[in-house]
Amino acid sequence: MFKCSSRVDGAIPVEYQAITQALFPSGGYAEGEGPTVRAAREFAEILGIGADYGRYLSALCPPGAEQAWGGASRVLLEHFQNNLDLLIQKTWVDQADEDRKRKLEDRIPGFISALEQGNLQEALAEFGVILEELAYLFFGAQSHKEDFTEYTLRIDTQMGLFWWYGGKLGRLMNFTDKPALGALLLIGICYLTNF
């Protein structure tokens, strides 16, 4: 996963800092804690995907049920894959990077499969690679620079907040709360489906 420098938190517009701090506190999480579903829902609102996010979150995590990526979320995952494939295909890159595009397209089914099997840690790792490669296809070598998130925040606040979120996901590799982890992955899925 690509890194998000700690100084980026200070570049986030003031009106969003309380929500971003709730989602990914600058000091990290206390032992056994992690982001809440409420913080994820509020962050989705900032990204402009709140309605879709809320609808799919309700389908994904009905009260009292085990989290499942089937039914309505299967439709979302199909739309996600179709849109991501389209984004990748429409990206203009040097001939040398065409292989990167093919490899990225090949990763998407593995990510979806991990989700559907309930292996959210594997899905998180796959999603991190997908985001890193997608950022490279969109922004080239700039995506590997320490100020990448600040750069994207200057271009567009919502897009910058999305890449900030992507850079923070690596903090969750040992996080075991499936509903919260699913809620966080759903942010990226909804955002990229609507990108």
Side-chain angles (χ1 to χ4, degrees):
M1 285 189 194
F2 59 93
K3 302 291 184 227
C4 185
S5 74
S6 58
R7 74 171 193 229
V8 171
D9 293 342
I12 292 174
V14 173
E15 63 268 28
Y16 304 127
Q17 288 182 1
I19 295 169
T20 58
Q21 275 294 310
L23 193 62
F24 292 106
S26 58
Y29 304 108
E31 184 67 32
E33 290 184 10
T36 65
V37 173
R38 179 175 178 227
R41 187 182 295 265
E42 290 174 354
F43 189 69
E45 289 290 335
I46 290 173
L47 293 180
I49 57 169
D52 282 346
Y53 180 80
R55 182 168 34 107
Y56 286 111
L57 185 63
S58 295
L60 180 64
C61 302
E66 180 64 26
Q67 186 173 35
W69 290 84
S73 53
R74 185 173 307 275
V75 172
L76 172 65
L77 293 175
E78 287 174 13
H79 291 297
F80 167 76
Q81 181 164 6
N82 290 340
N83 199 50
L84 205 50
D85 284 342
L86 183 62
L87 287 171
I88 294 166
Q89 291 166 13
K90 296 293 182 183
T91 309
W92 293 39
V93 294
D94 293 333
Q95 187 62 34
D97 289 328
E98 286 295 327
D99 192 42
R100 267 188 122 125
K101 288 171 64 169
R102 282 188 293 282
K103 286 180 181 178
L104 178 54
E105 287 176 322
D106 291 344
R107 290 196 90 94
I108 300 167
F111 167 68
I112 291 172
S113 176
L115 282 175
E116 292 176 335
Q117 294 171 15
N119 189 342
L120 298 185
Q121 288 298 327
E122 181 182 331
L124 179 65
E126 283 293 320
F127 195 56
V129 174
I130 288 169
L131 290 179
E132 186 173 349
E133 287 299 308
L134 194 58
Y136 181 82
L137 290 177
F138 286 170
F139 300 99
Q142 178 69 37
S143 68
H144 292 138
K145 294 183 178 177
E146 192 171 314
D147 69 344
F148 171 64
T149 305
E150 293 168 89
Y151 169 76
T152 59
L153 279 165
R154 287 190 304 270
I155 294 171
D156 178 82
T157 303
Q158 285 179 328
M159 180 178 59
L161 287 170
F162 173 75
W163 292 114
W164 170 86
Y165 146 89
K168 298 287 186 174
L169 286 177
R171 292 182 172 192
L172 303 174
M173 290 310 297
N174 296 318
F175 186 56
T176 58
D177 182 338
K178 280 191 167 191
L181 190 52
L184 284 167
L185 286 167
L186 186 60
I187 289 171
I189 292 167
C190 285
Y191 186 83
L192 290 174
T193 299
N194 293 295
F195 189 80

